[in-house]
Amino acid sequence: MSGLPELEQKSKGEPPMKVQRVTKEDSLDSKTEEGSSTGSSHSKGLKKVGFVLSFIGQDYHGSAVQKDVPTIEGEFFKALREIGVFYKDEVKPSHFRKFSRASRVDKGVNSVGFFVSMRCILPENPVELINEHLPDCIRLLRIMAVSKGLDSRRNADSRLYSYIVPCYILKRAPDEVLNYDGPGMSSDIWEQPKYVNFYEDTFTDEDFERLVRLSKTFPGNRNFWNFSSGMPYSDVKARRILMDFHPEKIITINDVRYVQMRIYGKSFVLAQIRKMMSMLIAMFRGIAPENVVQYCVDRYKMNIARAPGEFLCLDLVKFDEYVENVIAHGGGEREFAIYDDDFFAKQAEFKETVLLPHMAKVEADQEIMKNWVQNLDGRWFFTDCKTIDDTKNRMTEERKKRTITINMDDL
């Protein structure tokens, strides 16, 4: 299966990264901090450390703390309170702890590389002690000393995700591949394929190469507003750099084959990856045209569903450029290693023995992916493709009859 794009290859047009200057005072320091500028006694003795968590997100409402619902950070902070790292009245980190997270995950999304940092004082053997107070579905993999000035979100270079799709979901489209040529679409153009045996795995090496070809239409420095959660076309925050998006390999779990997708970018907007996976599956199954992505990143309004979050995983947050700068200013390479061989071994063990089998069991028991994708079968293309300039002019009833409009968010 040749021709797979290199993971670290950056897309054309990517702007140069901004380098944050790191001074010797900002590099790793074994000395105790003297406290905040306000002189608060809470700040005395605190040191900046980073934590890497792995978890199964199915029973949680995302990562960030929310009122009256279980979250990943809520469980983590509770464990810190129970071992005395947090004060009893600290529901979430107080301002003097300088807490920051490298990324947030949606409800149900998993991770084997969720990174947060804060100022605190840890007891002896903190990893084992904290894990004793965490649920079995959440594991603390690593704690490391970091520089005082590390901001987990701003200093992260890029994020790496993976998504698994059952091979029996990836049924091929008809031979007549439809290429879309602009707004409006007649309902008599073609008929969607019918599948007699839903669970029949017909995915071949040729299908894998076709999936590679379709996924290559996504990467670049582009406006992903249609893949966001309600961002308008004019919002500059919708422009993101997607470096790589491709099927990496086929894995087998409990005798069922899955395609493991690799998603690598500087950062992502809310729901972007799940909507990209939804669009890719729709393109492969013949529900959407193969050239539809060029319209998704243009001014045409699309209503795209989110693929199930239970099969998405945050694998790693990279700090390569920041680490290089800290080392160059006296941090010391061994002392400042964010990740080491022991971490990668624990990460692989959790993913292969806990997370992936759980994903397969969820699909076998609840048929989440099957129920979601069956709503796509027999449907017409899902957008009226109105431009932003036309959104204020409602379509007439006659126009609605001639244009196929399916809101995939309702699927």
Side-chain angles (χ1 to χ4, degrees):
M1 301 173 186
S2 60
L4 297 183
E6 293 294 329
L7 180 62
E8 300 295 341
Q9 183 178 353
K10 299 187 178 181
S11 59
K12 295 181 179 180
E14 178 184 347
M17 294 183 180
K18 294 182 178 179
V19 178
Q20 178 175 339
R21 184 175 297 278
V22 183
T23 63
K24 290 185 178 179
E25 289 76 18
D26 190 42
S27 61
L28 286 175
D29 189 357
S30 59
K31 295 181 180 180
T32 301
E33 296 184 15
E34 296 299 332
S36 65
S37 58
T38 58
S40 171
S41 60
H42 290 327
S43 321
K44 293 183 178 180
L46 300 181
K47 294 183 180 180
K48 193 70 171 287
V49 293
F51 303 82
V52 187
L53 295 161
S54 61
F55 54 80
I56 297 173
Q58 183 182 14
D59 297 326
Y60 295 94
H61 291 248
S63 57
V65 173
Q66 301 180 48
K67 187 177 181 180
D68 300 329
V69 294
T71 64
I72 300 300
E73 289 179 5
E75 294 284 0
F76 179 54
F77 299 154
K78 179 181 177 182
L80 294 181
R81 285 197 302 273
E82 290 178 352
I83 67 172
V85 175
F86 274 18
Y87 297 104
K88 292 183 179 180
D89 58 347
E90 278 189 272
V91 177
K92 55 185 180 179
S94 302
H95 71 280
F96 59 82
R97 294 195 183 276
K98 307 296 182 183
F99 174 82
S100 61
R101 64 178 72 85
S103 57
R104 297 177 63 168
V105 298
D106 297 343
K107 177 181 178 181
V109 176
N110 315 287
S111 178
V112 291
F114 185 76
F115 187 94
V116 298
S117 62
M118 71 181 84
R119 300 165 68 197
C120 60
I121 301 176
L122 295 173
E124 294 184 3
N125 302 317
V127 175
E128 293 80 3
L129 191 58
I130 293 172
N131 278 329
E132 289 178 2
H133 292 82
L134 286 173
D136 291 338
C137 60
I138 305 176
R139 296 289 89 187
L140 176 60
L141 299 183
R142 177 168 165 77
I143 298 177
M144 78 292 295
V146 297
S147 67
K148 301 175 187 178
L150 175 68
D151 186 304
S152 300
R153 182 177 67 87
R154 297 182 184 276
N155 294 126
D157 295 329
S158 54
R159 284 87 176 167
L160 179 64
Y161 287 80
S162 61
Y163 195 100
I164 64 170
V165 184
C167 286
Y168 57 76
I169 294 295
L170 299 170
K171 299 292 197 302
R172 294 195 63 181
D175 292 335
E176 309 83 26
V177 177
L178 176 66
N179 282 320
Y180 187 56
D181 59 0
M185 187 173 193
S186 175
S187 62
D188 59 358
I189 292 182
W190 67 337
E191 185 176 354
Q192 301 299 327
K194 305 294 183 181
Y195 306 113
V196 178
N197 185 356
F198 186 88
Y199 287 108
E200 181 182 3
D201 183 353
T202 61
F203 195 76
T204 64
D205 289 346
E206 183 182 353
D207 292 329
F208 190 95
E209 295 301 327
R210 178 168 178 262
L211 194 63
V212 170
R213 176 171 57 83
L214 293 177
S215 62
K216 285 182 178 179
T217 62
F218 287 84
N221 185 348
R222 318 180 80 169
N223 190 334
F224 286 97
W225 71 291
N226 269 311
F227 297 95
S228 70
S229 180
M231 281 186 174
Y233 176 81
S234 57
D235 194 336
V236 295
K237 294 180 180 179
R239 180 164 288 277
R240 300 290 163 134
I241 299 174
L242 179 63
M243 304 174 191
D244 189 30
F245 181 54
H246 77 271
E248 184 185 32
K249 59 183 177 180
I250 295 178
I251 59 177
T252 302
I253 311 173
N254 298 336
D255 298 324
V256 178
R257 294 197 308 158
Y258 295 81
V259 174
Q260 180 169 290
M261 297 293 301
R262 206 68 157 173
I263 307 102
Y264 180 54
K266 287 181 65 63
S267 60
F268 299 89
V269 296
L270 180 64
Q272 178 182 340
I273 296 176
R274 293 170 63 186
K275 288 194 173 187
M276 289 195 308
M277 285 304 309
S278 175
M279 180 63 76
L280 180 63
I281 293 171
M283 292 163 63
F284 191 92
R285 291 175 69 88
I287 301 163
E290 290 194 349
N291 66 338
V292 71
V293 175
Q294 63 180 299
Y295 296 96
C296 292
V297 297
D298 204 342
R299 296 170 65 89
Y300 298 100
K301 174 64 178 175
M302 306 282 181
N303 296 310
I304 308 172
R306 302 182 188 190
E310 288 79 1
F311 306 97
L312 176 62
C313 177
L314 170 62
D315 285 343
L316 200 66
V317 179
K318 296 191 175 184
F319 298 90
D320 296 340
E321 189 167 349
Y322 186 79
V323 169
E324 290 175 2
N325 277 275
V326 172
I327 293 173
H329 290 82
E333 186 170 0
R334 287 187 64 184
E335 188 179 12
F336 193 68
I338 295 287
Y339 309 114
D340 58 11
D341 294 339
D342 181 61
F343 163 76
F344 287 117
K346 291 180 179 178
Q347 183 190 55
E349 180 182 6
F350 183 88
K351 188 170 186 178
E352 294 172 5
T353 63
V354 179
L355 181 56
L356 291 177
H358 170 80
M359 291 179 175
K361 188 176 185 302
V362 166
E363 178 60 18
D365 295 344
Q366 303 179 29
E367 298 184 330
I368 294 175
M369 182 65 78
K370 176 187 176 182
N371 294 333
W372 174 79
V373 82
Q374 277 187 326
N375 286 308
L376 305 183
D377 287 347
R379 298 295 185 103
W380 302 106
F381 188 34
F382 50 86
T383 177
D384 54 20
C385 287
K386 293 183 295 184
T387 63
I388 298 299
D389 297 331
D390 297 332
T391 53
K392 294 183 180 180
N393 301 322
R394 295 179 59 86
M395 299 174 64
T396 62
E397 291 300 319
E398 182 179 356
R399 176 61 176 165
K400 289 181 181 179
K401 293 178 181 178
R402 297 200 307 266
T403 304
I404 303 305
T405 305
I406 294 179
N407 187 339
M408 291 185 71
D409 281 325
D410 295 333
L411 297 180

